[in-house]
Amino acid sequence: MTTMASTVGAPPARTIQWSSINWKAVQNLVYKLQVRIAKAIKLGHYCKAKTLQWILTHSFYAKLLAVKRVTQNKGKNTPGVDHVILKTPKQKIRAVESLKRRGYKYSPLKRIYIPKKNGKLRPLGIPTKIDLAQQALHLLALEPVAETLADKQSYGFRPKRSLHDAIEGCFNALARKGSAQWILEGDIKACFDKISHEWLLKHVIMDKKVLKQWLNAGYMEKEVFHCTSEGTPQGGAASPCLANIALDGLEKAILAIGKKKDKLHFVRYADDWICTASSREILEQKVLPTVISFLKERGLELSKEKTLITHINEGFNFLGCNLRKYKKKLIIKPGKKGIKTFLDSIRETIISMRASKAENLIYILNPKIQGWTNHYCHVVAKQIFSNIDSSIFKSLWAWAKRRHPNKRLQWIKDKYFTRINQRDWVFFSHQKGKHKDEHKDEPLLTLKSASSTRIIRHVKIRAEANPYDPNFKSYFQERKLKQRMSKYSRAPTGDLRGARAV
Protein backbone atom coordinates (compact mmCIF):
# COMPACT_ATOMS: atom_id res chain seq x y z
CA MET A 1 0.00 0.00 0.00
CA THR A 2 2.76 2.39 -0.87
CA THR A 3 2.70 3.21 -4.59
CA MET A 4 0.64 5.94 -6.22
CA ALA A 5 -0.07 3.69 -9.18
CA SER A 6 -2.12 1.45 -6.94
CA THR A 7 -4.57 4.17 -5.85
CA VAL A 8 -6.99 3.01 -8.55
CA GLY A 9 -5.75 -0.45 -9.49
CA ALA A 10 -5.60 -1.62 -5.88
CA PRO A 11 -5.89 -5.24 -4.70
CA PRO A 12 -9.40 -6.57 -4.07
CA ALA A 13 -10.89 -5.48 -0.76
CA ARG A 14 -11.31 -9.11 0.30
CA THR A 15 -7.52 -9.48 0.54
CA ILE A 16 -7.23 -6.47 2.87
CA GLN A 17 -7.33 -6.80 6.65
CA TRP A 18 -8.93 -3.69 8.17
CA SER A 19 -6.71 -3.81 11.24
CA SER A 20 -3.50 -3.96 9.16
CA ILE A 21 -4.17 -0.92 6.93
CA ASN A 22 -1.43 1.73 6.92
CA TRP A 23 -3.68 4.76 7.37
CA LYS A 24 -0.85 7.27 7.15
CA ALA A 25 0.05 6.00 3.68
CA VAL A 26 -3.64 6.04 2.66
CA GLN A 27 -4.06 9.65 3.78
CA ASN A 28 -0.85 10.75 2.04
CA LEU A 29 -1.89 9.22 -1.28
CA VAL A 30 -5.37 10.78 -1.14
CA TYR A 31 -3.90 14.14 -0.13
CA LYS A 32 -1.57 14.15 -3.15
CA LEU A 33 -4.56 13.85 -5.48
CA GLN A 34 -6.41 16.57 -3.54
CA VAL A 35 -3.43 18.92 -3.95
CA ARG A 36 -3.45 18.32 -7.71
CA ILE A 37 -7.20 19.08 -7.86
CA ALA A 38 -6.71 22.35 -5.95
CA LYS A 39 -3.82 23.34 -8.24
CA ALA A 40 -5.89 22.69 -11.38
CA ILE A 41 -8.75 24.82 -10.04
CA LYS A 42 -6.36 27.63 -9.09
CA LEU A 43 -4.97 27.68 -12.65
CA GLY A 44 -8.47 27.57 -14.14
CA HIS A 45 -8.04 24.07 -15.60
CA TYR A 46 -11.52 22.85 -14.68
CA CYS A 47 -11.57 19.92 -17.12
CA LYS A 48 -8.35 18.58 -15.62
CA ALA A 49 -9.79 19.05 -12.12
CA LYS A 50 -12.86 16.98 -13.06
CA THR A 51 -10.62 14.22 -14.43
CA LEU A 52 -8.63 14.16 -11.19
CA GLN A 53 -11.89 14.08 -9.21
CA TRP A 54 -12.97 11.00 -11.19
CA ILE A 55 -9.64 9.30 -10.40
CA LEU A 56 -10.00 10.15 -6.70
CA THR A 57 -13.60 8.93 -6.37
CA HIS A 58 -12.63 5.63 -8.03
CA SER A 59 -9.52 5.25 -5.87
CA PHE A 60 -9.49 2.24 -3.57
CA TYR A 61 -7.64 4.15 -0.86
CA ALA A 62 -10.05 7.07 -1.01
CA LYS A 63 -12.87 4.57 -0.47
CA LEU A 64 -11.04 3.15 2.54
CA LEU A 65 -10.63 6.63 4.01
CA ALA A 66 -14.30 7.50 3.37
CA VAL A 67 -15.55 4.41 5.21
CA LYS A 68 -13.11 5.06 8.06
CA ARG A 69 -14.46 8.59 8.54
CA VAL A 70 -18.06 7.40 8.53
CA THR A 71 -17.38 4.67 11.10
CA GLN A 72 -15.42 6.91 13.48
CA ASN A 73 -17.51 10.08 13.60
CA LYS A 74 -19.98 11.02 16.34
CA GLY A 75 -22.97 9.64 14.46
CA LYS A 76 -21.42 6.24 13.78
CA ASN A 77 -24.15 4.47 15.79
CA THR A 78 -27.07 6.32 14.19
CA PRO A 79 -28.61 4.15 11.42
CA GLY A 80 -30.48 5.35 8.35
CA VAL A 81 -33.72 3.97 6.94
CA ASP A 82 -32.06 0.56 6.40
CA HIS A 83 -31.20 0.24 10.14
CA VAL A 84 -27.63 -0.84 9.25
CA ILE A 85 -24.57 0.14 11.31
CA LEU A 86 -21.01 -0.61 10.19
CA LYS A 87 -19.26 -2.11 13.22
CA THR A 88 -17.18 -5.14 12.31
CA PRO A 89 -14.10 -5.12 10.03
CA LYS A 90 -15.93 -7.38 7.54
CA GLN A 91 -18.83 -4.95 7.31
CA LYS A 92 -16.43 -2.07 6.69
CA ILE A 93 -14.59 -3.96 3.93
CA ARG A 94 -17.92 -4.84 2.27
CA ALA A 95 -18.87 -1.15 2.45
CA VAL A 96 -15.64 -0.27 0.62
CA GLU A 97 -16.49 -2.82 -2.10
CA SER A 98 -19.98 -1.35 -2.52
CA LEU A 99 -18.80 2.21 -3.21
CA LYS A 100 -19.30 2.10 -6.98
CA ARG A 101 -20.72 4.69 -9.32
CA ARG A 102 -22.26 2.21 -11.76
CA GLY A 103 -25.64 1.04 -10.53
CA TYR A 104 -25.50 3.32 -7.50
CA LYS A 105 -28.86 4.54 -6.21
CA TYR A 106 -29.15 6.88 -3.26
CA SER A 107 -31.66 5.77 -0.59
CA PRO A 108 -34.21 8.16 1.01
CA LEU A 109 -33.11 9.94 4.17
CA LYS A 110 -34.45 9.20 7.63
CA ARG A 111 -36.09 12.42 8.90
CA ILE A 112 -35.66 13.33 12.58
CA TYR A 113 -36.04 16.61 14.46
CA ILE A 114 -33.80 18.21 17.07
CA PRO A 115 -34.70 21.23 19.25
CA LYS A 116 -33.23 24.66 18.45
CA LYS A 117 -32.36 27.37 20.98
CA ASN A 118 -35.50 29.35 20.12
CA GLY A 119 -37.74 26.37 20.94
CA LYS A 120 -38.41 25.40 17.31
CA LEU A 121 -37.40 22.08 15.77
CA ARG A 122 -34.60 21.65 13.24
CA PRO A 123 -35.11 18.87 10.64
CA LEU A 124 -32.21 16.47 10.05
CA GLY A 125 -31.89 13.95 7.25
CA ILE A 126 -29.95 10.82 8.25
CA PRO A 127 -28.52 8.88 5.26
CA THR A 128 -27.76 5.18 5.32
CA LYS A 129 -24.15 4.32 6.17
CA ILE A 130 -23.36 3.37 2.56
CA ASP A 131 -24.81 6.66 1.29
CA LEU A 132 -22.90 8.54 3.98
CA ALA A 133 -19.68 6.82 2.89
CA GLN A 134 -20.47 7.73 -0.73
CA GLN A 135 -20.89 11.36 0.33
CA ALA A 136 -17.63 11.26 2.29
CA LEU A 137 -15.87 9.82 -0.78
CA HIS A 138 -17.07 12.56 -3.12
CA LEU A 139 -16.42 15.16 -0.44
CA LEU A 140 -12.73 14.21 -0.59
CA ALA A 141 -12.81 15.33 -4.23
CA LEU A 142 -15.08 18.35 -3.71
CA GLU A 143 -13.38 19.93 -0.69
CA PRO A 144 -10.16 21.01 -2.52
CA VAL A 145 -12.36 22.80 -5.08
CA ALA A 146 -14.44 24.50 -2.39
CA GLU A 147 -11.36 25.60 -0.43
CA THR A 148 -9.65 27.07 -3.48
CA LEU A 149 -12.72 29.08 -4.55
CA ALA A 150 -13.98 29.99 -1.04
CA ASP A 151 -14.43 33.50 0.34
CA LYS A 152 -11.40 34.57 2.38
CA GLN A 153 -13.49 35.63 5.38
CA SER A 154 -15.61 32.46 5.52
CA TYR A 155 -14.92 30.22 8.54
CA GLY A 156 -17.77 27.76 9.10
CA PHE A 157 -17.50 24.04 8.21
CA ARG A 158 -14.05 24.46 6.68
CA PRO A 159 -10.87 22.50 7.52
CA LYS A 160 -8.34 24.29 9.74
CA ARG A 161 -10.81 27.12 10.47
CA SER A 162 -12.97 27.69 13.51
CA LEU A 163 -15.52 29.92 15.20
CA HIS A 164 -12.65 31.66 17.04
CA ASP A 165 -11.18 32.74 13.70
CA ALA A 166 -14.51 34.37 12.79
CA ILE A 167 -14.65 36.24 16.11
CA GLU A 168 -11.07 37.44 15.63
CA GLY A 169 -12.02 38.56 12.12
CA CYS A 170 -14.75 40.72 13.67
CA PHE A 171 -12.20 42.16 16.11
CA ASN A 172 -9.87 43.12 13.26
CA ALA A 173 -12.70 44.85 11.40
CA LEU A 174 -14.07 46.80 14.39
CA ALA A 175 -11.35 47.36 16.99
CA ARG A 176 -9.49 50.40 15.65
CA LYS A 177 -10.46 54.00 16.38
CA GLY A 178 -11.17 54.63 12.71
CA SER A 179 -13.03 51.35 12.15
CA ALA A 180 -16.59 51.12 10.85
CA GLN A 181 -19.31 52.03 13.34
CA TRP A 182 -22.30 50.26 11.79
CA ILE A 183 -22.90 46.53 11.51
CA LEU A 184 -25.39 44.57 9.43
CA GLU A 185 -26.14 41.27 11.16
CA GLY A 186 -27.36 38.85 8.53
CA ASP A 187 -29.08 35.50 8.87
CA ILE A 188 -30.29 33.39 5.96
CA LYS A 189 -33.73 31.86 6.37
CA ALA A 190 -33.68 28.04 6.34
CA CYS A 191 -30.46 28.08 4.35
CA PHE A 192 -29.89 24.32 4.13
CA ASP A 193 -33.53 23.60 3.30
CA LYS A 194 -34.03 26.21 0.56
CA ILE A 195 -30.93 26.16 -1.66
CA SER A 196 -31.89 25.85 -5.32
CA HIS A 197 -31.16 22.42 -6.81
CA GLU A 198 -30.91 23.96 -10.27
CA TRP A 199 -28.19 26.39 -9.12
CA LEU A 200 -26.19 23.63 -7.40
CA LEU A 201 -26.33 21.31 -10.41
CA LYS A 202 -25.15 24.13 -12.66
CA HIS A 203 -22.30 25.51 -10.52
CA VAL A 204 -20.92 22.76 -8.23
CA ILE A 205 -17.82 21.14 -9.75
CA MET A 206 -18.34 17.43 -9.10
CA ASP A 207 -19.98 14.34 -10.57
CA LYS A 208 -23.42 15.70 -11.54
CA LYS A 209 -25.06 12.27 -11.66
CA VAL A 210 -24.15 11.59 -8.04
CA LEU A 211 -25.06 15.13 -6.94
CA LYS A 212 -28.49 14.87 -8.57
CA GLN A 213 -29.19 11.65 -6.69
CA TRP A 214 -28.25 13.32 -3.38
CA LEU A 215 -30.52 16.28 -4.01
CA ASN A 216 -33.53 14.28 -5.24
CA ALA A 217 -33.32 11.39 -2.76
CA GLY A 218 -36.33 12.46 -0.68
CA TYR A 219 -36.91 11.42 2.92
CA MET A 220 -38.98 9.04 5.00
CA GLU A 221 -41.06 10.37 7.89
CA LYS A 222 -43.45 8.11 9.79
CA GLU A 223 -43.02 5.50 7.04
CA VAL A 224 -44.23 7.98 4.39
CA PHE A 225 -41.97 9.03 1.49
CA HIS A 226 -41.59 12.77 0.76
CA CYS A 227 -39.93 14.26 -2.33
CA THR A 228 -37.25 16.97 -2.06
CA SER A 229 -37.33 19.72 -4.70
CA GLU A 230 -34.98 22.14 -2.90
CA GLY A 231 -32.32 22.25 -0.22
CA THR A 232 -29.50 20.00 1.00
CA PRO A 233 -30.77 18.24 4.16
CA GLN A 234 -28.63 18.69 7.26
CA GLY A 235 -27.17 15.43 8.48
CA GLY A 236 -25.17 14.45 5.41
CA ALA A 237 -21.39 14.73 5.16
CA ALA A 238 -21.46 16.93 2.05
CA SER A 239 -24.34 19.28 2.99
CA PRO A 240 -22.20 21.92 4.81
CA CYS A 241 -19.73 22.02 1.91
CA LEU A 242 -22.54 22.46 -0.65
CA ALA A 243 -24.04 25.27 1.45
CA ASN A 244 -20.65 26.99 1.63
CA ILE A 245 -20.25 26.75 -2.15
CA ALA A 246 -23.69 28.33 -2.61
CA LEU A 247 -22.75 31.29 -0.37
CA ASP A 248 -19.19 31.76 -1.65
CA GLY A 249 -18.98 34.92 -3.73
CA LEU A 250 -21.10 36.96 -1.31
CA GLU A 251 -17.99 38.62 0.13
CA LYS A 252 -16.74 39.67 -3.33
CA ALA A 253 -20.19 40.94 -4.32
CA ILE A 254 -20.38 43.17 -1.21
CA LEU A 255 -16.82 44.50 -1.38
CA ALA A 256 -17.23 45.30 -5.11
CA ILE A 257 -19.94 47.90 -4.45
CA GLY A 258 -17.97 49.97 -1.92
CA LYS A 259 -15.02 52.30 -1.78
CA LYS A 260 -12.26 52.45 0.80
CA LYS A 261 -14.02 55.21 2.74
CA ASP A 262 -17.13 52.99 3.11
CA LYS A 263 -15.09 50.62 5.36
CA LEU A 264 -16.88 47.51 4.15
CA HIS A 265 -15.74 44.31 5.85
CA PHE A 266 -17.40 40.92 5.71
CA VAL A 267 -17.19 37.91 8.07
CA ARG A 268 -19.22 34.72 7.62
CA TYR A 269 -19.60 31.54 9.66
CA ALA A 270 -21.87 29.05 7.84
CA ASP A 271 -25.12 30.98 7.20
CA ASP A 272 -24.50 33.62 9.92
CA TRP A 273 -22.59 36.71 8.78
CA ILE A 274 -21.91 40.37 9.48
CA CYS A 275 -20.97 43.28 7.25
CA THR A 276 -19.54 46.54 8.57
CA ALA A 277 -19.82 50.01 7.03
CA SER A 278 -19.11 53.64 7.90
CA SER A 279 -22.81 54.60 7.82
CA ARG A 280 -26.28 53.09 8.13
CA GLU A 281 -27.24 54.41 4.69
CA ILE A 282 -24.54 52.36 2.94
CA LEU A 283 -25.84 49.18 4.57
CA GLU A 284 -29.48 49.96 3.75
CA GLN A 285 -29.08 51.34 0.23
CA LYS A 286 -26.10 49.38 -1.13
CA VAL A 287 -25.33 46.26 0.87
CA LEU A 288 -28.83 44.92 1.59
CA PRO A 289 -30.03 45.08 -2.07
CA THR A 290 -26.81 43.37 -3.18
CA VAL A 291 -27.23 40.57 -0.63
CA ILE A 292 -30.91 40.06 -1.48
CA SER A 293 -30.12 39.84 -5.20
CA PHE A 294 -27.22 37.43 -4.58
CA LEU A 295 -29.34 35.11 -2.45
CA LYS A 296 -32.34 35.21 -4.78
CA GLU A 297 -30.29 33.56 -7.57
CA ARG A 298 -29.69 30.65 -5.21
CA GLY A 299 -33.28 30.35 -4.02
CA LEU A 300 -32.50 31.92 -0.64
CA GLU A 301 -33.74 34.90 1.34
CA LEU A 302 -32.79 36.81 4.48
CA SER A 303 -34.56 36.19 7.77
CA LYS A 304 -36.34 39.47 8.62
CA GLU A 305 -36.37 38.65 12.34
CA LYS A 306 -32.61 38.13 12.64
CA THR A 307 -31.31 40.63 10.07
CA LEU A 308 -30.52 43.83 11.99
CA ILE A 309 -28.48 47.02 11.59
CA THR A 310 -26.72 48.02 14.81
CA HIS A 311 -24.29 50.69 15.99
CA ILE A 312 -21.13 49.34 17.61
CA ASN A 313 -21.77 51.37 20.79
CA GLU A 314 -25.05 49.48 21.26
CA GLY A 315 -23.32 46.16 20.68
CA PHE A 316 -24.48 43.01 18.94
CA ASN A 317 -24.40 39.23 19.45
CA PHE A 318 -22.54 37.01 17.00
CA LEU A 319 -21.65 33.31 17.38
CA GLY A 320 -22.38 33.25 21.11
CA CYS A 321 -20.34 36.39 21.88
CA ASN A 322 -21.30 39.98 22.56
CA LEU A 323 -19.26 42.62 20.72
CA ARG A 324 -19.54 46.23 21.88
CA LYS A 325 -17.42 49.35 22.24
CA TYR A 326 -17.11 50.84 25.72
CA LYS A 327 -15.53 54.32 25.66
CA LYS A 328 -14.23 53.66 22.13
CA LYS A 329 -12.67 50.32 23.13
CA LEU A 330 -14.02 47.10 21.63
CA ILE A 331 -14.78 44.41 24.21
CA ILE A 332 -15.80 40.89 23.21
CA LYS A 333 -17.49 38.89 25.98
CA PRO A 334 -19.51 35.67 26.25
CA GLY A 335 -23.15 36.32 25.38
CA LYS A 336 -25.72 36.42 28.17
CA LYS A 337 -27.81 33.70 26.54
CA GLY A 338 -24.81 31.34 26.43
CA ILE A 339 -23.99 32.02 30.09
CA LYS A 340 -27.57 31.34 31.15
CA THR A 341 -27.76 28.13 29.10
CA PHE A 342 -24.50 26.85 30.62
CA LEU A 343 -25.51 27.65 34.22
CA ASP A 344 -28.95 26.08 33.71
CA SER A 345 -27.22 22.92 32.47
CA ILE A 346 -24.91 22.87 35.52
CA ARG A 347 -27.83 23.36 37.94
CA GLU A 348 -29.87 20.63 36.27
CA THR A 349 -26.91 18.25 36.55
CA ILE A 350 -26.41 19.02 40.26
CA ILE A 351 -30.12 18.64 41.02
CA SER A 352 -30.35 15.36 39.08
CA MET A 353 -27.37 13.99 41.06
CA ARG A 354 -28.70 14.90 44.51
CA ALA A 355 -28.25 11.29 45.67
CA SER A 356 -24.82 10.77 44.07
CA LYS A 357 -21.43 10.91 45.73
CA ALA A 358 -19.31 14.06 45.52
CA GLU A 359 -16.72 12.12 43.54
CA ASN A 360 -19.23 11.21 40.80
CA LEU A 361 -20.53 14.77 40.68
CA ILE A 362 -16.99 16.12 40.15
CA TYR A 363 -16.38 13.64 37.33
CA ILE A 364 -19.53 14.91 35.55
CA LEU A 365 -19.06 18.66 36.18
CA ASN A 366 -15.36 19.03 35.38
CA PRO A 367 -15.58 18.30 31.62
CA LYS A 368 -18.55 20.68 31.34
CA ILE A 369 -16.72 23.52 33.09
CA GLN A 370 -13.44 22.93 31.26
CA GLY A 371 -15.16 22.71 27.86
CA TRP A 372 -17.12 25.94 28.37
CA THR A 373 -14.16 27.93 29.66
CA ASN A 374 -11.91 26.65 26.85
CA HIS A 375 -14.49 27.88 24.34
CA TYR A 376 -14.46 31.41 25.79
CA CYS A 377 -10.85 31.65 26.97
CA HIS A 378 -9.98 33.79 23.93
CA VAL A 379 -12.31 36.69 24.81
CA VAL A 380 -12.72 39.06 27.77
CA ALA A 381 -14.19 36.56 30.22
CA LYS A 382 -12.17 36.66 33.46
CA GLN A 383 -14.89 38.38 35.50
CA ILE A 384 -17.57 36.17 33.97
CA PHE A 385 -15.55 33.07 34.89
CA SER A 386 -15.47 34.31 38.50
CA ASN A 387 -19.24 34.81 38.42
CA ILE A 388 -19.62 31.29 37.04
CA ASP A 389 -17.62 29.93 40.00
CA SER A 390 -19.86 31.81 42.44
CA SER A 391 -23.05 30.45 40.86
CA ILE A 392 -21.72 26.89 40.84
CA PHE A 393 -20.66 27.21 44.50
CA LYS A 394 -24.17 28.32 45.52
CA SER A 395 -25.68 25.30 43.75
CA LEU A 396 -23.16 22.92 45.36
CA TRP A 397 -23.68 24.42 48.81
CA ALA A 398 -27.45 23.90 48.44
CA TRP A 399 -26.76 20.33 47.23
CA ALA A 400 -24.57 19.61 50.28
CA LYS A 401 -27.04 21.09 52.80
CA ARG A 402 -29.90 19.12 51.32
CA ARG A 403 -27.96 15.88 51.78
CA HIS A 404 -27.32 16.58 55.49
CA PRO A 405 -30.24 18.64 56.86
CA ASN A 406 -29.43 17.71 60.48
CA LYS A 407 -25.72 18.53 60.39
CA ARG A 408 -24.01 21.78 61.41
CA LEU A 409 -22.84 24.04 58.59
CA GLN A 410 -19.21 23.74 59.71
CA TRP A 411 -19.47 19.95 59.50
CA ILE A 412 -20.84 20.19 55.95
CA LYS A 413 -18.05 22.58 54.97
CA ASP A 414 -15.36 20.28 56.33
CA LYS A 415 -16.83 17.27 54.53
CA TYR A 416 -17.20 18.77 51.05
CA PHE A 417 -15.00 21.87 50.91
CA THR A 418 -11.33 22.40 51.66
CA ARG A 419 -8.60 25.01 51.40
CA ILE A 420 -5.76 24.55 48.90
CA ASN A 421 -3.06 27.22 49.17
CA GLN A 422 -4.81 30.55 48.49
CA ARG A 423 -8.09 28.98 47.39
CA ASP A 424 -10.75 28.37 50.01
CA TRP A 425 -14.06 26.56 49.61
CA VAL A 426 -12.72 24.11 47.01
CA PHE A 427 -15.27 21.37 46.38
CA PHE A 428 -13.45 18.05 46.75
CA SER A 429 -13.67 14.33 47.32
CA HIS A 430 -11.24 11.63 48.34
CA GLN A 431 -10.38 9.13 45.64
CA LYS A 432 -12.51 6.05 45.37
CA GLY A 433 -11.47 3.45 47.90
CA LYS A 434 -9.32 5.87 49.94
CA HIS A 435 -10.53 6.54 53.47
CA LYS A 436 -10.36 10.12 54.71
CA ASP A 437 -8.24 9.41 57.80
CA GLU A 438 -5.96 7.01 55.97
CA HIS A 439 -3.69 7.93 53.09
CA LYS A 440 -3.59 11.60 54.10
CA ASP A 441 -0.94 12.25 51.48
CA GLU A 442 -3.11 10.95 48.64
CA PRO A 443 -4.12 13.67 46.13
CA LEU A 444 -7.67 14.95 46.34
CA LEU A 445 -10.23 15.00 43.58
CA THR A 446 -11.20 18.69 43.14
CA LEU A 447 -13.72 20.62 41.11
CA LYS A 448 -12.25 22.75 38.35
CA SER A 449 -12.32 26.49 38.89
CA ALA A 450 -13.52 28.44 35.85
CA SER A 451 -11.60 31.56 36.93
CA SER A 452 -8.29 29.65 36.98
CA THR A 453 -8.41 29.33 33.16
CA ARG A 454 -6.00 31.76 31.54
CA ILE A 455 -7.27 34.22 28.94
CA ILE A 456 -5.19 33.78 25.78
CA ARG A 457 -5.95 35.72 22.62
CA HIS A 458 -6.62 33.54 19.59
CA VAL A 459 -4.37 34.08 16.55
CA LYS A 460 -6.57 34.21 13.44
CA ILE A 461 -5.74 32.02 10.48
CA ARG A 462 -4.36 33.83 7.44
CA ALA A 463 -7.29 34.65 5.16
CA GLU A 464 -5.69 33.18 2.03
CA ALA A 465 -4.40 29.98 3.70
CA ASN A 466 -5.47 26.82 1.86
CA PRO A 467 -4.72 23.38 3.40
CA TYR A 468 -4.52 21.91 -0.12
CA ASP A 469 -1.86 24.37 -1.28
CA PRO A 470 1.71 23.06 -0.65
CA ASN A 471 2.90 26.68 -0.23
CA PHE A 472 1.08 26.78 3.11
CA LYS A 473 2.32 23.42 4.42
CA SER A 474 4.98 24.92 6.72
CA TYR A 475 2.51 27.62 7.86
CA PHE A 476 -0.04 25.02 9.02
CA GLN A 477 2.66 22.96 10.74
CA GLU A 478 3.88 25.99 12.71
CA ARG A 479 0.29 26.99 13.52
CA LYS A 480 -0.51 23.49 14.81
CA LEU A 481 2.57 23.57 17.06
CA LYS A 482 1.66 26.99 18.46
CA GLN A 483 -1.92 25.87 19.13
CA ARG A 484 -0.65 22.87 21.08
CA MET A 485 1.60 25.13 23.16
CA SER A 486 -1.34 27.47 23.73
CA LYS A 487 -3.47 24.53 24.88
CA TYR A 488 -0.94 23.64 27.57
CA SER A 489 -0.61 27.28 28.66
CA ARG A 490 -4.39 27.37 29.31
CA ALA A 491 -3.84 25.06 32.28
CA PRO A 492 -5.34 26.39 35.52
CA THR A 493 -3.35 29.10 37.23
CA GLY A 494 -2.37 28.89 40.88
CA ASP A 495 -0.41 26.28 42.77
CA LEU A 496 -2.57 23.19 43.27
CA ARG A 497 0.09 20.78 44.44
CA GLY A 498 -1.54 18.03 46.45
CA ALA A 499 -4.81 18.26 44.49
CA ARG A 500 -5.91 16.51 41.35
CA ALA A 501 -8.60 17.73 38.98
CA VAL A 502 -10.07 15.42 36.35
Side-chain angles (χ1 to χ4, degrees):
M1 204 179 297
T2 57
T3 62
M4 191 64 187
S6 63
T7 54
V8 178
R14 294 183 189 87
T15 66
I16 299 294
Q17 295 296 323
W18 188 264
S19 59
S20 64
I21 295 173
N22 184 349
W23 290 111
K24 189 174 182 180
V26 169
Q27 290 171 340
N28 287 340
L29 288 166
V30 172
Y31 178 72
K32 286 179 182 179
L33 270 176
Q34 290 177 312
V35 168
R36 291 177 65 191
I37 293 170
K39 183 179 179 181
I41 292 294
K42 188 176 181 180
L43 296 174
H45 301 161
Y46 295 131
C47 289
K48 183 178 180 180
K50 289 179 182 178
T51 302
L52 291 168
Q53 284 184 317
W54 189 95
I55 294 173
L56 180 58
T57 55
H58 288 73
S59 162
F60 176 72
Y61 295 141
K63 293 176 182 179
L64 283 174
L65 191 57
V67 172
K68 181 176 185 282
R69 290 186 175 181
V70 167
T71 55
Q72 288 189 353
N73 63 13
K74 291 182 179 179
K76 62 183 179 182
N77 294 322
T78 304
V81 292
D82 60 352
H83 307 291
V84 173
I85 299 174
L86 304 178
K87 285 187 176 182
T88 67
K90 287 185 179 180
Q91 288 177 322
K92 294 173 185 178
I93 292 296
R94 281 200 295 269
V96 173
E97 290 179 320
S98 68
L99 294 182
K100 297 177 182 179
R101 184 179 185 274
R102 181 178 296 177
Y104 170 65
K105 188 174 181 181
Y106 199 83
S107 303
L109 304 171
K110 176 183 175 183
R111 175 60 63 92
I112 63 171
Y113 294 90
I114 60 172
K116 297 169 69 174
K117 292 181 181 179
N118 58 8
K120 297 181 181 179
L121 295 175
R122 185 193 304 278
L124 285 183
I126 308 300
T128 65
K129 291 304 174 188
I130 298 299
D131 290 335
L132 198 56
Q134 193 76 259
Q135 281 198 34
L137 174 63
H138 284 270
L139 182 61
L140 290 172
L142 180 61
E143 209 166 58
V145 177
E147 283 299 301
T148 305
L149 300 177
D151 286 343
K152 291 183 178 180
Q153 299 297 333
S154 164
Y155 299 99
F157 302 117
R158 293 181 60 188
K160 309 293 184 182
R161 299 189 177 219
S162 68
L163 178 147
H164 303 299
D165 291 311
I167 293 297
E168 198 63 24
C170 296
F171 180 86
N172 293 342
L174 297 165
R176 297 180 182 87
K177 289 184 179 179
S179 296
Q181 300 292 304
W182 291 90
I183 300 96
L184 171 63
E185 306 168 60
D187 184 88
I188 300 166
K189 189 176 181 180
C191 179
F192 283 88
D193 300 325
K194 297 293 183 180
I195 299 174
S196 167
H197 286 184
E198 184 180 348
W199 190 93
L200 289 172
L201 288 168
K202 186 176 179 181
H203 293 89
V204 177
I205 302 174
M206 67 168 288
D207 189 323
K208 296 294 193 292
K209 182 180 178 181
V210 174
L211 177 59
K212 191 172 183 178
Q213 287 209 45
W214 290 353
L215 298 176
N216 298 329
Y219 63 91
M220 297 291 293
E221 185 176 8
K222 296 179 180 179
E223 299 184 359
V224 178
F225 176 78
H226 300 267
C227 296
T228 49
S229 57
E230 58 185 7
T232 59
Q234 297 181 68
S239 296
C241 187
L242 293 174
N244 267 337
I245 291 172
L247 296 177
D248 283 332
L250 182 56
E251 179 183 359
K252 292 178 183 177
I254 290 174
L255 299 184
I257 62 173
K259 299 177 181 179
K260 191 174 182 180
K261 64 178 182 179
D262 294 333
K263 300 175 182 176
L264 293 178
H265 291 279
F266 178 86
V267 177
R268 178 170 69 85
Y269 187 89
D271 58 342
D272 293 322
W273 54 271
I274 66 155
C275 179
T276 70
S278 56
S279 69
R280 187 184 188 100
E281 289 71 25
I282 293 172
L283 294 174
E284 289 178 337
Q285 298 171 16
K286 289 186 177 182
V287 175
L288 264 178
T290 301
V291 173
I292 291 170
S293 175
F294 178 91
L295 295 178
K296 190 175 181 180
E297 290 180 24
R298 293 150 176 80
L300 301 171
E301 60 180 338
L302 288 173
S303 169
K304 294 181 180 178
E305 320 174 322
K306 300 179 182 179
T307 302
L308 307 168
I309 296 177
T310 315
H311 194 275
I312 190 60
N313 291 340
E314 296 176 11
F316 66 98
N317 295 316
F318 185 60
L319 303 178
C321 293
N322 179 264
L323 298 88
R324 182 179 174 183
K325 273 193 174 179
Y326 298 84
K327 297 180 180 179
K328 299 183 179 180
K329 183 175 182 180
L330 182 68
I331 302 294
I332 303 178
K333 302 186 293 185
K336 291 182 179 179
K337 187 180 290 186
I339 296 170
K340 183 180 182 302
T341 301
F342 172 68
L343 286 177
D344 287 346
S345 171
I346 292 292
R347 292 186 189 108
E348 287 174 9
T349 300
I350 293 172
I351 291 172
S352 67
M353 299 186 69
R354 54 180 65 154
S356 301
K357 296 178 180 179
E359 178 185 8
N360 297 335
L361 186 57
I362 291 172
Y363 272 112
I364 296 296
L365 292 181
N366 274 350
K368 290 176 177 285
I369 296 169
Q370 191 66 67
W372 196 85
T373 55
N374 283 350
H375 183 74
Y376 287 108
C377 71
H378 304 298
V379 299
V380 182
K382 200 67 177 177
Q383 184 58 52
I384 291 172
F385 286 172
S386 296
N387 296 342
I388 291 289
D389 283 336
S390 298
S391 297
I392 293 175
F393 164 74
K394 290 176 183 176
S395 297
L396 289 173
W397 183 240
W399 174 88
K401 288 195 298 181
R402 187 184 181 281
R403 287 171 66 88
H404 306 283
N406 300 323
K407 295 290 186 179
R408 294 182 297 109
L409 297 182
Q410 185 62 45
W411 184 95
I412 297 174
K413 179 184 185 300
D414 293 340
K415 181 173 178 61
Y416 293 108
F417 298 90
T418 187
R419 183 181 184 88
I420 300 177
N421 300 321
Q422 302 302 315
R423 283 182 59 201
D424 199 5
W425 291 88
V426 178
F427 190 69
F428 81 102
S429 172
H430 289 276
Q431 291 186 71
K432 191 174 182 180
K434 313 291 185 184
H435 190 270
K436 183 176 178 181
D437 296 325
E438 301 170 358
H439 311 290
K440 288 186 178 180
D441 296 331
E442 291 290 342
L444 303 177
L445 199 61
T446 63
L447 187 73
K448 285 185 181 293
S449 167
S451 58
S452 65
T453 302
R454 286 191 177 95
I455 304 298
I456 301 173
R457 183 173 175 179
H458 179 76
V459 178
K460 190 179 82 68
I461 191 172
R462 284 165 60 180
E464 67 279 6
N466 183 347
Y468 301 106
D469 187 340
N471 295 326
F472 290 101
K473 186 175 181 180
S474 59
Y475 166 75
F476 281 113
Q477 287 175 343
E478 291 174 10
R479 180 175 173 81
K480 186 176 181 180
L481 180 61
K482 289 178 181 177
Q483 286 178 333
R484 283 183 178 178
M485 293 171 65
S486 174
K487 182 180 179 180
Y488 288 120
S489 65
R490 286 202 304 265
T493 55
D495 186 1
L496 294 180
R497 283 190 293 271
R500 179 174 70 90
V502 293

